Amino acid sequence: MSTLTKILIVLLSLFSIFLCGTVVTYVGSAKNYRSAYEESKKELTALKLKVAGYEEQIEAKKREMEGLVSKLDAQVASLKAEKSQIEMDLKEAQRSKAALDEKVQSLATAALGFEETVGGMEESLKTTRQELDKARAEGIKLTKNLNELTASLEEKIAQLEAVDAEKRRLLEQHSPAGVSYSPVTPLPDNSAVRVIEAPVDIALQGMITAVEGSLVTLSVGDADGVTKGMVFHVIRNDSFVCDIRITEVDTEACAGMTQLVQTQPRVGDIVSTTW
Amino acid sequence: MNNGQTAGKVKAASNVYTALLALVCGAVGFTAGFVALRCMSDYGTLFKIVEVLR
């Protein structure tokens, strides 16, 4: 065997061992493309299925969203209509509020005027009552004077009658027969005497319809025979309340002032001219 | 016939180099077998790998 053959054998051995080692290493560590391809194919199929499912879900969501959108559009339209209606109602309410405010203001003004009027009427009523009290006091004083005058007049008349009797007796004793007697105070002619008729005491019965202080209105009037100056007695539960002297008479009603007030008369109390 | 060859009988010139060649042949055979086994196990064929994958 030549030296060159030996060298070639050694080189071939080394190269072959190196090449075999490389091949074994490469093949041992090579990737299995088939299984990777199949896995990738499976993953692709699964992903396609998943994509199809997602697309179906998207379609369903789209349909649901369209339904919701149409429903919400309808709701928005109805709410807009309701809003416009409410705005119109609000404007109407504001207009009515303004009108009511004006009415309230006018009523307040009228109430103020009415209060002023009532105040004036109360003032005039107070003044009238004071004048009435003064007139009553004056009437009482005049009545007292009249009674005194009447008493003194009766006394004078009695004295005159006594003087007349004495004169008649003296004339009868000292004068001859046929002398006529003439009284000291000639009597007035009977035809000239006016007989003042007292109010006829007729039985009238009525009811109190209004009470304003001492002024009382009754339910009977001129048509029932009521005249000025009549006195009605107010009785409640068999007890005396007061008297009413009539001062104004109308056809169907009359009014008078209270007297001898025991308790304040009320509307509905029975009045009568007799006990 | 010279250097180890006699009439009617072949004789290796050196046993060392013969053993080396045998070792190399064994390594190449092992490599080929290993590659063939991997191809069979992974792709099921030895020569139609591309067709199988396609």
Side-chain angles (χ1 to χ4, degrees), chain A residues 208-224:
Chain A
I208 294 177
T209 57
V211 177
E212 295 178 7
S214 60
L215 182 64
V216 178
T217 306
L218 305 182
S219 61
V220 290
D222 194 11
D224 301 308

Side-chain angles (χ1 to χ4, degrees), chain A residues 132-166:
Chain A
L132 184 63
D133 291 339
K134 285 180 184 176
R136 279 180 183 168
E138 189 71 23
I140 290 169
K141 195 182 292 182
L142 290 173
T143 305
K144 192 185 289 181
N145 290 336
L146 182 62
N147 291 335
E148 289 175 358
L149 287 173
T150 305
S152 64
L153 184 62
E154 286 176 351
E155 189 177 348
K156 298 289 185 188
I157 290 171
Q159 288 176 0
L160 284 174
E161 284 177 352
V163 168
D164 282 340
E166 184 68 20

Side-chain angles (χ1 to χ4, degrees), chain B residues 1-24:
Chain B
M1 291 286 179
N2 55 5
N3 292 335
Q5 286 185 356
T6 60
K9 191 176 181 181
V10 177
K11 188 179 178 182
S14 174
N15 289 330
V16 175
Y17 292 104
T18 304
L20 189 61
L21 284 174
L23 180 64
V24 167

Side-chain angles (χ1 to χ4, degrees), chain A:
Chain A
M1 182 181 296
S2 63
T3 304
L4 183 61
T5 304
K6 291 178 182 176
I7 291 168
L8 285 174
I9 287 172
V10 170
L11 287 176
L12 180 64
S13 299
L14 290 173
F15 183 73
S16 298
I17 287 169
F18 174 74
L19 189 62
C20 287
T22 303
V23 168
V24 167
T25 303
Y26 174 74
V27 170
S29 62
K31 188 179 178 181
N32 190 350
Y33 287 103
R34 185 182 181 190
S35 60
Y37 169 75
E38 287 177 353
E39 285 179 2
S40 298
K41 195 172 180 182
K42 285 180 183 174
E43 286 180 359
L44 180 64
T45 307
L47 287 173
K48 280 182 179 177
L49 288 173
K50 201 178 283 186
V51 165
Y54 284 151
E55 284 179 352
E56 285 181 0
Q57 287 182 2
I58 287 170
E59 289 296 327
K61 292 286 182 187
K62 275 185 180 176
R63 286 195 293 274
E64 189 177 352
M65 191 178 71
E66 286 175 356
L68 280 173
V69 165
S70 60
K71 193 175 177 181
L72 288 174
D73 285 341
Q75 284 185 356
V76 165
S78 66
L79 287 173
K80 280 182 180 176
E82 195 173 347
K83 182 191 166 200
S84 62
Q85 182 66 31
I86 287 172
E87 284 177 352
M88 288 173 62
D89 290 344
L90 179 63
K91 287 179 182 174
E92 185 66 27
Q94 284 175 347
R95 278 198 294 273
S96 62
K97 179 179 174 288
L100 287 173
D101 284 342
E102 287 181 1
K103 194 178 284 185
V104 165
Q105 208 161 1
S106 64
L107 285 174
T109 308
L112 286 174
F114 184 69
E115 281 183 2
E116 289 178 359
T117 307
V118 168
M121 290 175 72
E122 284 180 351
E123 287 293 328
S124 64
L125 182 62
K126 282 181 183 175
T127 308
T128 306
R129 281 182 179 169
Q130 288 174 357
E131 291 176 355
L132 184 63
D133 291 339
K134 285 180 184 176
R136 279 180 183 168
E138 189 71 23
I140 290 169
K141 195 182 292 182
L142 290 173
T143 305
K144 192 185 289 181
N145 290 336
L146 182 62
N147 291 335
E148 289 175 358
L149 287 173
T150 305
S152 64
L153 184 62
E154 286 176 351
E155 189 177 348
K156 298 289 185 188
I157 290 171
Q159 288 176 0
L160 284 174
E161 284 177 352
V163 168
D164 282 340
E166 184 68 20
K167 181 182 177 185
R168 194 180 304 124
R169 189 179 59 81
L170 289 175
L171 284 173
E172 284 175 355
Q173 286 179 358
H174 299 291
S175 66
V179 176
S180 66
Y181 164 73
S182 62
V184 175
T185 54
L187 289 174
D189 189 6
N190 285 339
S191 62
V193 174
R194 287 186 61 196
V195 178
I196 298 172
E197 293 181 354
V200 180
D201 191 12
I202 56 175
L204 286 176
Q205 200 166 21
M207 186 185 294
I208 294 177
T209 57
V211 177
E212 295 178 7
S214 60
L215 182 64
V216 178
T217 306
L218 305 182
S219 61
V220 290
D222 194 11
D224 301 308
V226 180
T227 57
K228 281 187 182 179
M230 287 184 84
V231 176
F232 283 84
H233 311 292
V234 182
I235 305 294
R236 187 192 308 150
N237 297 330
D238 297 332
S239 61
F240 176 72
V241 175
C242 66
D243 280 346
I244 299 170
R245 181 172 289 278
I246 303 301
T247 57
E248 292 292 332
V249 179
D250 203 353
T251 306
E252 296 291 336
C254 63
M257 305 301 293
T258 55
Q259 294 176 338
L260 304 175
V261 177
Q262 303 298 315
T263 56
Q264 188 65 25
R266 292 192 301 228
V267 174
D269 284 345
I270 301 298
V271 296
S272 175
T273 56
T274 59
W275 292 101

